[in-house]
Amino acid sequence: MALSTMNREKEETMWSNIAGRMLVHTILHPMDFAKVLIQIGHEPIAPRESRTLFGKPALALPNIIHYVKYIKSVDGFSGCYRGLVPKLCADAVSTVAVEKFMESEYFLKYFPERDTRKEEIIDDLPEPERRDAYVKTLAKDIVCRIIGVIASHPLDVIALRTMAQFVGGETKYNGIFGSLKEVYRENGLFGYYSGLVPRLIANISTLVLVSSSTYFINKYLIRDRALKRYTSSAVTIVATTITYPLLVIYPCMAVNNCGLAAGVPPQMPIYTSWLDCWRHLSSINESKRGSNLIWRYYTGPQVIINGRLTALNKSDFFKQVS
């Protein structure tokens, strides 16, 4: 009876957490939508002359608020919520998959619930036990993250492609079941996991960087228990900055050559692999696009015409070639 009550409480907590995240995702979706378009390289608003924070002449791109207003001006208020449904479904599937896996005999065999300890308790353990606890926690987090990402990735691909349709005004990816068929028609079974590798590498690398850095900083540099609580948050900011280019490659590969204008030239080259995408974005200094959503500057080719700084975009090059 007690076990049944405990399981019911876990179920209620899980669905309560899912509902909370769904609410947050719904509120923030217009900005997430705009960020995805920025990451895949769609810049419909021409950059304007401006200056950087240090006074250097530059071409400024619209910030995230202006970008959302542009989306609304084109598609209306409801258009700001393209891709929300598959995104919410992906989050729910990820959470449920992880929770169910954590309850499995296989998981409990290697990560018994009695060994799960809070960080404050781990810090009080003798050094060998403390190190082992950190390693075990990291391993558990990596396994859970892999399970969640793999389970939800097909729905994430649908969400990204649904949002990418804004670029060309298509309606190919419409509804979850219709989109699943369209993904298979365009790219086969592998299409459901387009961009999976860079996404997994980004997630796992971030976990490893945060966990290992937090452990060594708290062990060798910080003695104040109150300050140790903030180490993980501070390190997470640095780690996500390092791995961010992979989170740009992931949506690019999910959209690339999928039958949408957003995934083919002139909007985007057709990449042979995610490494090809990484090399290309690095070569044009766009591997971190979308990392700063407030102060955004055009980093592509620029010329001075009649004393004014002017951007040369992809369309200009295609016009010259034709």
Side-chain angles (χ1 to χ4, degrees):
M1 189 71 175
L3 184 61
S4 177
T5 302
M6 187 181 299
N7 289 336
R8 186 166 60 251
E9 288 177 353
K10 284 184 178 180
E11 289 282 338
E12 291 175 355
T13 301
M14 179 185 71
W15 287 109
S16 176
N17 292 336
I18 290 175
R21 283 199 302 273
M22 283 185 172
L23 178 61
V24 173
H25 284 321
T26 301
I27 294 172
L28 299 179
H29 185 74
M31 287 187 286
D32 289 338
F33 179 15
K35 183 174 181 178
V36 167
L37 294 181
I38 292 170
Q39 287 179 323
I40 65 175
H42 184 54
E43 296 291 353
I45 304 174
R48 56 179 177 81
E49 283 190 290
S50 180
R51 290 185 177 274
T52 65
L53 294 175
F54 302 102
K56 183 180 177 181
L59 292 172
L61 291 166
N63 62 34
I64 194 70
I65 303 300
H66 290 130
Y67 209 122
V68 171
K69 288 181 178 178
Y70 172 79
I71 294 172
K72 183 181 177 182
S73 70
V74 174
D75 265 1
F77 179 78
S78 62
C80 295
Y81 288 89
R82 281 176 182 254
L84 175 62
V85 173
K87 179 181 175 182
L88 295 180
C89 291
D91 182 72
V93 167
S94 176
T95 302
V96 172
V98 171
E99 289 294 331
K100 295 302 180 183
F101 180 73
M102 290 176 67
E103 294 173 1
S104 67
E105 293 183 6
Y106 179 82
F107 182 86
L108 294 176
K109 176 182 177 182
Y110 294 97
F111 305 104
E113 288 186 317
R114 57 185 171 80
D115 285 349
T116 303
R117 308 168 188 177
K118 292 184 178 180
E119 191 172 325
E120 292 83 359
I121 299 176
I122 293 176
D123 286 338
D124 292 333
L125 295 173
E127 180 53 34
E129 291 185 36
R130 181 185 179 191
R131 184 178 59 251
D132 292 343
Y134 264 102
V135 171
K136 182 170 287 189
T137 300
L138 174 60
K140 183 187 74 172
D141 290 342
I142 289 175
V143 171
C144 289
R145 188 66 59 89
I146 291 173
I147 294 296
V149 168
I150 291 177
S152 64
H153 196 78
L155 288 168
D156 278 306
V157 169
I158 290 172
L160 290 169
R161 293 188 180 186
T162 302
M163 288 185 265
Q165 289 183 138
F166 176 83
V167 177
E170 300 102 337
T171 57
K172 294 181 66 173
Y173 295 90
N174 187 23
I176 292 178
F177 294 107
S179 297
L180 286 171
K181 292 180 181 179
E182 187 63 28
V183 171
Y184 182 80
R185 192 182 72 82
E186 287 287 345
N187 306 111
L189 290 174
F190 289 108
Y192 297 120
Y193 288 95
S194 301
L196 175 65
V197 174
R199 185 184 180 192
L200 280 177
I201 293 175
N203 278 266
I204 294 171
S205 299
T206 301
L207 286 174
V208 172
L209 286 171
V210 171
S211 180
S212 58
S213 299
T214 299
Y215 173 77
F216 285 108
I217 289 173
N218 285 347
K219 179 181 178 181
Y220 296 108
L221 300 180
I222 299 178
R223 294 289 180 262
D224 191 331
R225 179 181 291 273
L227 290 177
K228 287 183 178 182
R229 299 177 185 175
Y230 304 102
T231 304
S232 179
S233 299
V235 170
T236 298
I237 296 174
V238 177
T240 51
T241 300
I242 295 172
T243 60
Y244 183 79
L246 291 165
L247 297 179
V248 176
I249 296 168
Y250 148 54
C252 287
M253 293 307 298
V255 170
N256 193 240
N257 198 24
C258 69
L260 299 176
V264 295
Q267 176 66 28
M268 183 188 298
I270 295 178
Y271 300 115
T272 57
S273 68
W274 69 271
L275 291 172
D276 183 28
C277 178
W278 193 350
R279 284 190 291 265
H280 174 253
L281 293 179
S282 299
S283 69
I284 59 175
N285 196 27
E286 291 191 8
S287 61
K288 290 191 175 183
R289 57 192 182 197
S291 59
N292 189 332
L293 299 175
I294 304 299
W295 292 284
R296 302 179 57 234
Y297 298 100
Y298 177 77
T299 58
Q302 306 169 27
V303 295
I304 297 177
I305 300 177
N306 296 329
R308 300 187 61 180
L309 195 61
T310 305
L312 290 177
N313 56 38
K314 288 170 272 192
S315 300
D316 293 324
F317 289 114
F318 275 88
K319 287 177 183 177
Q320 291 174 11
V321 171
S322 59

